[in-house]
Amino acid sequence: MPVRKYLSVGYVTKPQGIKGEVRVKPLTDDMYRFDDLDEVFLKRQDRYVPVKIQRRRYAKDFVILKLEGFEDRNQAETLRGEYLWISREQARPLPKDTYFIADIVGCRVETCAGRFLGYVTGVLHTGSNDVYVVKDKQEVLIPALKKVVVDVDVENSKIVVNHEELEGLLPDED
C-alpha cells in the first residue's frame, strides 16, 4: 500500500453563520494546529485542490474557518460532510513510535508466530490508549501498547503483535 500523500486534518460538520464560514471538527491531537496552515485541500475525484484559509477562530471543540471562494451560507453548505486535507509535507513530525492513522489503516496484522489476524480497518481512541480494529473473518480489537504491538512497518504495511499478550482476545484458530 503506497504511503498517502495527503492527510485529513478536519471534517466539515456544517456552515457557520451567513458569511461562508464552516464549522470543522479537528481530526488532529492539537486543534490549534490550524494556526500554522495557510491552506487546506479539498478532494475532487482523484485530485486535491488547494483552498486558502482567510480566517480561523475557535469555539469549544470546533474550528471555524473562512475559506477563499466560499462567500455565503449556500456556498459553505456545499462543504458539509467533506474532509479537509493537508499534504504530508505540511504534517508535523510525530514522536518516536507514533504513527498517522492513515498509515495504520490497511496494514496487515499478524502474530509473532506468523498467524494472520486481518487488516486494520480503523482506530478507536480510548482514554488511555488507541485500539486497532482488525478484521478478517472476525473482528479483533488490539490495544496499541508497546507490550502488545511488537513492530509497525508502515512502508510494508505490516504490524506484528505479541499473541501472548492477547490471550483470550483472539478468535480460536480454524
Side-chain angles (χ1 to χ4, degrees):
M1 184 161 136
V3 174
R4 296 175 192 249
K5 293 181 181 177
Y6 293 89
L7 303 168
S8 180
V9 291
Y11 177 78
V12 178
T13 61
K14 65 180 186 175
Q16 176 75 28
I18 60 171
K19 296 182 180 178
E21 293 180 316
V22 291
R23 181 179 284 238
V24 176
K25 175 76 175 151
L27 300 177
T28 68
D29 290 339
D30 178 12
M31 73 185 271
Y32 297 99
R33 156 92 183 92
F34 286 84
D35 286 342
D36 300 331
L37 298 174
D38 295 325
E39 69 181 7
V40 291
F41 292 83
L42 297 173
K43 190 173 182 183
R44 299 293 182 249
Q45 284 86 31
D46 58 347
R47 296 177 336 139
Y48 290 85
V49 178
V51 179
K52 289 196 180 307
I53 297 174
Q54 293 180 324
R55 274 190 318 273
R56 68 194 54 74
R57 58 190 171 93
Y58 300 91
K60 295 187 183 178
D61 295 332
F62 292 93
V63 182
I64 311 298
L65 295 180
K66 172 67 174 85
L67 301 175
E68 186 174 78
F70 297 87
E71 304 306 323
D72 61 35
R73 186 175 183 88
N74 289 337
Q75 290 176 323
E77 181 66 46
T78 65
L79 295 175
R80 184 188 292 259
E82 288 215 35
Y83 286 90
L84 302 179
W85 304 83
I86 60 171
S87 67
R88 189 170 284 271
E89 292 78 32
Q90 292 172 290
R92 290 182 173 167
L94 293 176
K96 185 178 182 334
D97 295 328
T98 58
Y99 307 91
F100 291 112
I101 291 173
D103 294 335
I104 295 295
V105 171
C107 282
R108 174 186 174 86
V109 180
E110 59 186 54
T111 66
C112 295
R115 178 180 171 199
F116 172 71
L117 299 177
Y119 295 93
V120 178
T121 59
V123 178
L124 304 175
H125 305 289
T126 68
S128 56
N129 59 274
D130 287 348
V131 175
Y132 298 160
V133 179
V134 178
K135 287 187 184 176
D136 184 35
K137 294 176 190 140
Q138 294 180 296
E139 182 177 277
V140 180
L141 301 177
I142 298 182
L145 301 170
K146 286 184 181 189
K147 67 181 183 178
V148 176
V149 178
V150 177
D151 184 50
V152 176
D153 182 351
V154 171
E155 290 195 16
N156 293 306
S157 298
K158 183 178 173 185
I159 296 174
V160 178
V161 297
N162 182 349
H163 62 280
E164 292 173 359
E165 292 292 335
L166 297 171
E167 189 95 19
L169 296 177
L170 299 180
D172 294 332
E173 290 197 62
D174 297 333

